[in-house]
Amino acid sequence: MLPLAHHLKLVDFKPLSTPFCEEVLQGLTSSPKYIPSKFFYDKKGSLLFEEICTLPEYYPTRTETWILNQFGKEIAECIGKGALIIEFGSGSSTKTRLLLDSLDTPSAYMPIDISKEFLEESAQSIAKDYPQIEIMPVCADYSKFFPLPEPYTLYKRKVGFFPGSTIGNLKPEEAIEFLKRIAQWCGKNGGLLLGTDLKKDHATLERAYNDAQGVTAQFNLNLIDRINTELQPTPLLSGFRHFAFYNEQYGRIEMHLVSTHTQKVNIKGRTVTFAEGEHIITEYSHKYDLSDIQLLAKKAGMKLEHSWSDPNNLFSVHYLSIL
Ligand code: AVJ
């Protein structure tokens, strides 16, 4: 048995100290223009995303929750006893609770998140409710490599947890690179529990990103507010509209912001111009069927051991082992 440290030492890689301004400038001076979707999740954006998860049109969250509940026992069998669960982008750790409840004596949980505020809050509350589990919060941007803090090597079985179809934000080549990094972190005896959205009819997909209440539009447009607030005093972007559609060729939902008029702003001494109708790409959300996942796993040096899905085949959860 490992000693328990309930003082909850958060390891902080200070992921936000450089990026926003530079990455926005980089994206808005590229062609086509883009803004990395990780920037959706400031305080306001995180709250809007939580609201999205409860919308009738947005099926992924409730379907994945159903799958984790329904197949908890089988999932626990795949993961095994005494594992260290490493979650990438833990947010409020709501789904983790479902997982921890099903698991056979998990030893430790390492939530990794870019937002320190959320991370501290949720780590505290998990530590309180699961006193027998070692909690090791890490504040970091998991889209870049960093060494996991010790004592993670003490755990013989390390299993990544990447729910919510977040991997869909990455292009397939990037997803493979990310899976390879997870394989390095978790090692040969380890695995990954991965949630991905399934391919399906376009209407259902497009409805999920164009909800009737316009919450997804607000979530997308919050990026413009963020730029205007955080890049003060210069940028004053205005008149953008939300646009989301399913790109069949690439098997992904794309979210864009469209400038409704010609405009020009100054960012760090550089002039950025927008034509009327010009798009900024803000998010890709790739959809995978089982054969896509099988191929992805293979290319990353993993093996697809098991997939679970709901009766309507909306969403799926997979256990991949590291080869
Ligand atoms: C959190 C990336 C999985 O792609 O469905 C929800 C984000 N964007 N509505 C997704 C999102 C618009 C979501 N992920």
Side-chain angles (χ1 to χ4, degrees):
M1 277 281 268
L2 293 158
L4 300 182
H6 282 306
H7 45 274
L8 261 185
K9 256 201 3 238
L10 185 144
V11 178
D12 191 357
F13 286 89
K14 304 215 184 294
L16 291 173
S17 44
T18 25
F20 190 61
C21 188
E22 279 102 85
E23 290 201 43
V24 165
L25 183 60
Q26 166 89 48
L28 295 186
T29 52
S30 296
S31 180
K33 293 181 168 63
Y34 70 90
I35 300 170
S37 43
K38 67 181 178 191
F39 292 121
F40 279 134
Y41 305 94
D42 64 352
K43 195 86 196 175
K44 173 115 186 282
S46 300
L47 289 172
L48 284 168
F49 179 64
E50 276 182 20
E51 199 179 336
I52 288 174
C53 291
T54 68
L55 293 170
E57 297 93 336
Y58 195 75
Y59 59 82
T61 313
R62 84 178 73 86
T63 311
E64 185 177 45
T65 300
W66 184 89
I67 294 169
L68 290 173
N69 257 319
Q70 189 73 12
F71 301 107
K73 250 191 122 103
E74 284 177 44
I75 292 171
E77 267 168 40
C78 281
I79 291 177
K81 289 185 201 293
L84 162 64
I85 305 294
I86 306 171
E87 183 169 7
F88 305 96
S90 47
S92 55
S93 294
T94 315
K95 288 166 193 162
T96 320
R97 286 170 179 269
L98 292 177
L99 182 62
L100 295 178
D101 289 341
S102 314
L103 287 186
D104 231 346
T105 57
S107 306
Y109 171 51
M110 182 183 282
I112 305 174
D113 206 280
I114 195 163
S115 155
K116 196 173 172 185
E117 251 179 304
F118 265 92
L119 181 65
E120 262 168 349
E121 247 171 65
S122 55
Q124 290 281 7
S125 118
I126 291 257
K128 187 170 132 282
D129 296 341
Y130 298 84
Q132 76 286 11
I133 299 174
E134 181 87 4
I135 313 290
M136 311 188 279
V138 175
C139 184
D141 177 357
Y142 62 80
S143 69
K144 299 186 178 83
F145 181 81
F146 60 91
L148 291 184
E150 291 301 335
Y152 95 104
T153 38
L154 287 182
Y155 297 92
K156 290 301 155 239
R157 191 159 172 80
K158 297 176 276 285
V159 175
F161 184 39
F162 200 35
S165 183
T166 309
I167 198 166
N169 277 170
L170 304 176
K171 291 182 187 159
E173 321 86 77
E174 298 167 337
I176 291 162
E177 287 313 306
F178 182 59
L179 291 184
K180 283 183 179 166
R181 214 178 308 141
I182 292 180
Q184 275 185 353
W185 275 323
C186 294
K188 282 206 185 308
N189 191 39
L192 171 66
L193 189 65
L194 178 71
T196 58
D197 197 9
L198 285 162
K199 285 183 174 145
K200 61 183 67 65
D201 68 283
H202 301 184
T204 304
L205 284 168
E206 289 185 343
R207 232 181 289 125
Y209 296 83
N210 291 286
D211 63 280
Q213 289 175 65
V215 184
T216 309
Q218 263 182 276
F219 175 71
N220 198 4
L221 287 160
N222 181 50
L223 279 174
I224 299 296
D225 288 347
R226 235 195 121 168
I227 291 171
N228 285 338
T229 315
E230 293 182 34
L231 273 58
Q232 291 263 22
T234 30
L236 255 188
L237 293 167
S238 67
F240 280 86
R241 69 179 172 84
H242 166 73
F243 177 58
F245 73 104
Y246 186 66
N247 185 330
E248 164 101 63
Q249 188 190 349
Y250 292 99
R252 68 191 180 205
I253 286 283
E254 296 190 11
M255 293 220 304
H256 297 186
L257 288 163
V258 184
S259 180
T260 56
H261 59 97
T262 312
Q263 51 187 317
K264 196 184 275 188
V265 292
N266 189 300
I267 301 174
K268 292 186 100 191
R270 291 206 41 186
T271 304
V272 179
T273 59
F274 293 85
E276 184 184 333
E278 187 170 352
H279 290 214
I280 306 172
I281 300 162
T282 54
E283 184 171 52
Y284 292 147
S285 187
H286 291 82
K287 310 302 171 186
Y288 291 103
D289 52 33
L290 294 190
S291 60
D292 296 328
I293 295 295
Q294 212 150 25
L295 195 63
L296 210 61
K298 198 173 154 198
K299 287 183 174 168
M302 295 187 182
K303 180 170 176 261
L304 177 58
E305 299 282 355
H306 213 307
S307 296
W308 299 272
S309 90
D310 57 294
N312 298 317
N313 278 314
L314 291 172
F315 200 91
S316 54
V317 174
H318 319 273
Y319 184 76
L320 315 177
S321 62
I322 296 160
L323 300 174

